[in-house]
Amino acid sequence: MIKKIILPGTLLLLAYGLWLSPDFNQIAAGVAIFLFGMLFLEQGFNGFTGGTLEKILRASTNKRWKSLGFGMISTTLMQSSSLVTVITISFLSVGILDLAAGIGIIFGANLGTTTGAWLIAGLGLKVKIATYAMPMLIFGIFLVFQKNSSLKAIGSILAGMGFLFLGIHYMKEGFEAFRETINLAEYALTGLQGLVVFTFIGIGITVVMQSSHAAMVLIITALSVQQITYDNALALAIGSNIGTTITAIIGSMSANVAGKRLAVAHLLFNVVTAIIALLMLPQFMLAVELVAELIGILSSDTTLKLAIFHTLFNLVGVVIMLPFVNVMVRNIERLLKDDVVTIDKPKYLNEEAMQFPDTVVFAVHKETVRLYRHASHIILKTIGLSSIHVFSEKNLDELFHEHDTLLRYDVDKAYKHHIKEIYSEIIAFISQASFTWEMEQSGKLYWLREANRHIVEAIKDSKQLQYNLLLMNTSENACIQQAYYNIRYQIAELLRDLEVFRVEVDAENEEIAVFSFDVFKVKIKEQDKAMNEQIDKLIREHKITATAGTSLINDSAYMYAIKRHLVDMAETVFVIQEPKSAAAEREVALDDNELTNVLKES
């Protein structure tokens, strides 16, 4: 809806400006070239996200001050708070970041975006910046056409910087030429009226451009040639801070509730900061004069004073709001609650997660863990237990004694409500991934898809097993009861062991080798061998009938299949490893034939 209103309005405004004055062409072209440069910059930095961005974010956001620093440094380097906002929403949507860390990054991004004003006012308007743009464009475009992805990314960054510089040059030249036709300073407003009107103009300019950085460039270049007054420029800068939240709002529309919460936090911070700046404008103007005098800036250099003002009111906003981050988190989470649904739907799979290869893999991984937890609950219910009890520290024998009555559990209904929708969406989401299969993330997605298949197969096998469990649980033959007790016990024991393993890995965030699961594989193979030998012995000693023995053999096979599917799933989902070592470790891990040989030797 917002885009439908903005686009026609922008086109009409541009058409009117071009008709009004030919000199406006140069300003409009400068803005267009500048925004095109920002697109190149974003494309270039996106080229370096694969495989490393997740680690950087994790290491840089585990403390509040680190989140703030990451937002500030990344925005300074990328010269785009919009890109940082999109990245933050993407990673927040898939659970890599929590809301508090996301808010910290947004606070830092607001500080980082002020460096752009310093670069433009301090360098861009003092030297012939177009001279530096040309070499950047030449080398950048040359590298863009290379096959190597890293060279292409570097080329995009160079070309982006070149277009930024060229855009600034054209904007400055355009405003100087435009002054000969129309002097915008004649429309300056003073007092409260000027403050309010130009604040809203600043909001409008930034909403149209969807970049506070581009808006500040436009404001500073206009101020440098006296097309706007210093007082009105201050109000425009305040408005641009509010307008920049449009990127987060639009970006959150396709995100889950976590992304929407961050957009609300971003809007709240920028609006509060703007209100503080408006209410304390005289005090800020006095502070600007003191800082300018302290660092040797001339009182007539209004562009650098505007950069000081832009930094000061954002810094004050961060200092005031930072202690209240936890309060913001609680209130926003209370305001935007998670959706309550009768059929479980994906929590992490959304368009925002598709922004980067890392977030695609992480989203699928998180969703797979959710699917497994639902599946473990269903499997335990088929054997008469619940995950709450099994994943406690209570003795398993005591649990089975307390829950000796086995009731029928509707596996089909549970599958429909808790598995089917998530599983289908995971497969569809993986299929939509647009990056090539040469990338390391593609291999991870292949194994995750296999892991999801193992989860679903384990549920299907548990459904097949449930029929005889219910039938034989009340058998008068003690040997049959004991055999089915062993089947139930072994499934519960494995699920408990896997859960302990999963929690420990999550808590420690440590690297666990793939071949660690050989212990599980050998154990379940030994248990399968022992179970079949026991069944043969019971039949041979006429303690059970051949018919009962056949059922036991089939159900033992279902039990083994359930356990093997769960271990194969966990081997992919619970292991944290370096991508380069994954293939090698999978080759080292024992396959079925090697497991058989190990058992023979033992």
Side-chain angles (χ1 to χ4, degrees):
M1 182 64 184
I2 295 176
K3 289 183 178 180
K4 289 179 180 179
I5 296 172
I6 292 174
L7 183 59
T10 304
L11 292 174
L12 287 172
L13 189 63
L14 282 173
Y16 176 71
L18 295 172
W19 172 81
L20 186 68
S21 169
D23 296 324
F24 183 75
N25 291 348
Q26 199 165 3
I27 300 172
V31 173
I33 293 169
F34 186 89
L35 291 173
F36 188 66
M38 293 191 71
L39 288 176
F40 259 81
L41 265 184
E42 291 184 12
Q43 183 179 331
F45 281 109
N46 282 341
F48 291 107
T49 59
T52 57
L53 187 56
E54 179 191 329
K55 291 180 181 178
I56 294 172
L57 276 169
R58 284 185 176 280
S60 307
T61 58
N62 56 0
K63 301 284 185 185
R64 188 70 47 76
W65 64 270
K66 286 185 179 181
S67 299
L68 190 70
F70 175 83
M72 185 167 63
I73 293 169
S74 59
T75 305
T76 300
L77 292 174
M78 299 180 190
Q79 284 299 296
S80 174
S81 60
S82 299
L83 177 59
V84 174
T85 300
V86 168
I87 291 173
T88 305
I89 289 175
S90 299
F91 280 75
L92 186 68
S93 295
V94 298
I96 294 177
L97 301 172
D98 59 22
L99 184 56
I103 291 173
I105 292 174
I106 293 299
F107 284 8
N110 270 49
L111 285 176
T113 198
T114 64
T115 60
W118 283 97
L119 288 171
I120 298 154
L123 177 65
L125 301 177
K126 310 297 182 187
V127 298
K128 195 170 180 59
I129 201 166
T131 307
Y132 298 95
M134 297 307 172
M136 289 182 176
L137 286 172
I138 293 167
F139 287 105
I141 297 300
F142 176 77
L143 291 175
V144 163
F145 285 97
Q146 303 305 305
K147 291 184 177 179
N148 184 281
S149 59
S150 296
L151 289 177
K152 286 173 73 74
I154 293 170
S156 293
I157 292 170
L158 281 174
M161 292 299 295
F163 282 121
L164 289 183
F165 287 174
L166 198 61
I168 293 169
H169 168 75
Y170 275 110
M171 277 188 269
K172 182 183 177 184
E173 295 293 319
F175 272 117
E176 287 179 347
F178 192 62
R179 185 171 53 182
E180 302 298 324
T181 307
I182 298 175
N183 185 6
L184 294 177
E186 294 176 0
Y187 299 93
L189 297 173
T190 58
L192 182 61
Q193 183 186 21
L195 196 59
V196 173
V197 169
F198 277 86
T199 296
F200 277 101
I201 292 174
I203 293 172
I205 292 171
T206 312
V207 166
V208 168
M209 294 184 177
Q210 290 191 34
S211 169
S212 62
H213 191 60
M216 283 303 298
V217 171
L218 192 65
I219 295 164
I220 291 170
T221 51
L223 178 63
S224 69
V225 294
Q226 290 83 48
Q227 279 281 22
I228 55 174
T229 65
Y230 174 60
D231 289 352
N232 290 163
L234 298 182
L236 287 170
I238 295 171
S240 74
N241 246 45
I242 301 173
T244 193
T245 59
I246 191 66
T247 302
I249 293 168
I250 292 173
S252 70
M253 286 179 178
S254 58
N256 58 15
V257 69
K260 290 179 173 63
R261 286 169 177 165
L262 185 65
V264 170
H266 191 196
L267 178 63
L268 182 64
F269 169 73
N270 284 42
V271 168
V272 169
T273 303
I275 291 171
I276 292 170
L278 289 170
L279 293 177
M280 299 181 63
L281 188 60
Q283 289 80 5
F284 274 110
M285 292 177 72
L286 179 61
V288 167
E289 295 297 332
L290 292 173
V291 172
E293 185 179 347
L294 185 66
I295 61 178
I297 293 174
L298 297 175
S299 59
S300 59
D301 195 340
T302 52
T303 55
L304 278 175
K305 285 165 66 177
L306 177 60
I308 295 172
F309 173 76
H310 193 219
T311 302
L312 275 180
F313 84 78
N314 274 288
L315 181 61
V316 169
V318 170
V319 171
I320 291 174
M321 298 285 285
L322 197 61
F324 299 100
V325 168
N326 292 332
V327 177
M328 285 177 66
V329 169
R330 286 195 299 270
N331 286 308
I332 291 170
E333 287 179 346
R334 193 179 296 119
L335 176 68
L336 295 175
K337 299 179 187 279
D338 291 313
D339 295 331
V340 178
V341 292
T342 54
I343 295 179
D344 280 308
K345 294 184 180 295
K347 183 177 180 182
Y348 303 102
L349 309 182
N350 49 67
E351 288 183 18
E352 291 304 311
M354 274 289 183
Q355 295 282 340
F356 310 99
D358 277 347
T359 51
V360 171
V361 173
F362 199 85
V364 173
H365 182 272
K366 294 278 282 188
E367 211 63 67
T368 303
V369 172
R370 282 188 72 223
L371 192 72
Y372 162 71
R373 298 190 74 175
H374 290 320
S376 62
H377 177 76
I378 292 170
I379 293 169
L380 286 171
K381 279 291 187 180
T382 63
I383 62 173
L385 297 174
S386 71
S387 53
I388 295 174
H389 297 128
V390 173
F391 298 156
S392 68
E393 296 181 358
K394 202 160 190 177
N395 182 276
L396 280 180
D397 285 313
E398 292 180 13
L399 282 176
F400 277 108
H401 178 72
E402 293 173 3
H403 301 83
D404 57 343
T405 302
L406 191 60
L407 301 175
R408 183 183 178 278
Y409 181 69
D410 193 337
V411 178
D412 288 330
K413 183 179 178 181
Y415 180 85
K416 179 182 177 181
H417 282 267
H418 303 296
I419 302 296
K420 185 177 181 180
E421 184 76 16
I422 299 176
Y423 177 60
S424 300
E425 289 295 329
I426 288 174
I427 300 304
F429 191 78
I430 291 174
S431 302
Q432 291 168 14
S434 59
F435 46 89
T436 64
W437 282 98
E438 284 75 20
M439 295 182 70
E440 66 183 44
Q441 290 89 349
S442 301
K444 291 180 181 179
L445 288 181
Y446 170 80
W447 289 109
L448 285 169
R449 183 166 58 187
E450 287 295 295
N452 279 275
R453 184 180 62 81
H454 286 305
I455 292 171
V456 171
E457 291 297 325
I459 295 172
K460 290 179 179 178
D461 288 330
S462 68
K463 178 187 174 183
Q464 297 295 327
L465 177 63
Q466 186 186 39
Y467 178 79
N468 276 346
L469 281 177
L470 292 168
L471 189 65
M472 299 298 183
N473 189 55
T474 56
S475 173
E476 295 180 358
N477 189 316
C479 294
I480 291 177
Q481 282 191 355
Q482 184 60 42
Y484 279 97
Y485 172 83
N486 289 340
I487 289 174
R488 295 167 65 198
Y489 186 94
Q490 287 182 28
I491 293 172
E493 182 185 44
L494 176 64
L495 282 167
R496 172 178 277 189
D497 290 343
L498 289 178
E499 183 65 13
V500 169
F501 187 89
R502 184 188 71 80
V503 171
E504 287 179 352
V505 170
D506 284 348
E508 299 294 330
N509 200 26
E510 59 186 8
E511 293 182 5
I512 305 294
V514 172
F515 46 74
S516 300
F517 281 87
D518 288 345
V519 176
F520 286 108
K521 293 176 184 178
V522 170
K523 182 178 180 179
I524 65 175
K525 197 80 174 177
E526 286 177 342
Q527 288 175 335
D528 182 60
K529 180 182 176 183
M531 175 67 78
N532 283 301
E533 289 175 351
Q534 181 64 24
I535 294 170
D536 288 341
K537 182 180 178 182
L538 290 173
I539 295 173
R540 191 169 54 251
E541 295 177 356
H542 303 290
K543 292 183 178 179
I544 62 173
T545 64
T547 303
T550 303
S551 295
L552 259 177
I553 290 171
N554 290 335
D555 293 331
S556 176
Y558 284 130
M559 173 190 68
Y560 177 74
I562 291 168
K563 293 194 293 182
R564 188 57 198 258
H565 282 308
L566 291 172
V567 170
D568 287 344
M569 175 279 308
E571 191 174 30
T572 293
V573 178
F574 297 167
V575 173
I576 300 173
Q577 56 186 338
E578 291 297 328
K580 291 180 181 178
S581 68
E585 289 185 355
R586 287 191 182 278
E587 290 178 4
V588 173
L590 299 178
D591 60 23
D592 285 338
N593 293 330
E594 291 169 324
L595 282 172
T596 303
N597 293 333
V598 168
L599 290 171
K600 285 180 180 178
E601 291 173 4
S602 61

